[in-house]
Amino acid sequence: MASAGLQFFAFMLALFGAFGDIAATLLPNWKVNADVGSNIITAITQMQGLWMDCTWYSTGMFSCTLKYSVLSLPVYIQAARTTMVLSCILSAFGICITTVGMKCTKLGGDTDSKSHTCFAGGVCFVLAGIFGLVPTSWYTREIISNFLDQTIPESSKHEPGGAVYIGFISAGFLLIAGVIFCTSCFKKQQGAWIYPPKQQHFPSTQQENNAGYNLKDYV
């Protein structure tokens, strides 16, 4: 298995990734549109997220509207909702599982049981990272394609918001942590494959001498 320090480092990455995943899911700034207009006093910033749309005015007022209807949403937003929630659930499961399997904890039984537990937690982190990377990439693609579309007016175009970047970073943290935990349980077995146990071989001459000595006793 990997060292306790490396596993703790991977656990901290997974912890930051899980918190970032939850924050990216709840934040309303997946895409942002800043409309300054003719006067800076009337400038507004429109933000759209997975669950609500918010508008911030330069005067300090802030208003949000929840997206109650699911069927009226575009397909990529519905898919982003589902995959981000799954990513949060899997990352939470991975944290609970790896807490039992890490070497620095006294839970999980013997070394082999801990290695298998770490592998299961690493699989959860890898799946959580994939489920977090897919919606952020798809959402960013839709934003860029709409921004480059000449038929869409400038007032309706948006740019990627902070939640998208948080989602990308969190997915990267979860993937790295999952790879570390998954590979940690194979190092011991890999060492046994590369360096097989040496077998003790007794010299044949010694056995022949012993056999000859025994035959002389009967002559």
Side-chain angles (χ1 to χ4, degrees), residues 15-172:
L15 202 61
F16 285 128
F19 285 138
D21 231 6
I22 296 173
T25 305
L26 298 177
L27 284 175
N29 57 340
W30 278 66
K31 57 182 178 181
V32 180
N33 179 18
D35 185 11
V36 177
S38 60
N39 191 354
I40 192 64
I41 299 177
T42 61
I44 59 174
T45 301
Q46 296 179 351
M47 297 176 291
Q48 296 184 14
L50 301 180
W51 311 96
M52 64 181 70
D53 297 336
C54 296
T55 303
W56 180 81
Y57 300 91
S58 59
T59 56
M61 297 180 61
F62 193 83
S63 62
C64 293
T65 304
L66 293 175
K67 297 179 179 179
Y68 293 103
S69 178
V70 178
L71 299 178
S72 62
L73 297 175
V75 178
Y76 68 95
I77 295 181
Q78 297 180 18
R81 280 185 173 187
T82 305
T83 51
M84 289 301 293
V85 171
L86 287 175
S87 178
C88 294
I89 294 173
L90 287 172
S91 60
F93 281 154
I95 289 174
C96 296
I97 294 172
T98 52
T99 302
V100 177
M102 286 194 302
K103 294 178 66 176
C104 58
T105 61
K106 296 182 179 180
L107 304 173
D110 56 358
T111 304
D112 292 335
S113 299
K114 279 181 170 292
S115 64
H116 294 138
T117 306
C118 281
F119 179 78
V123 171
C124 289
F125 287 142
V126 170
L127 292 177
I130 294 174
F131 281 135
L133 188 62
V134 169
T136 50
S137 302
W138 192 0
Y139 206 99
T140 304
R141 177 185 174 278
E142 292 293 332
I143 294 174
I144 294 174
S145 62
N146 291 334
F147 188 84
L148 298 177
D149 192 355
Q150 300 296 330
T151 60
I152 298 176
E154 293 293 331
S155 60
S156 300
K157 294 183 178 181
H158 298 80
E159 295 182 0
V164 175
Y165 300 110
I166 294 175
F168 274 118
I169 296 173
S170 302

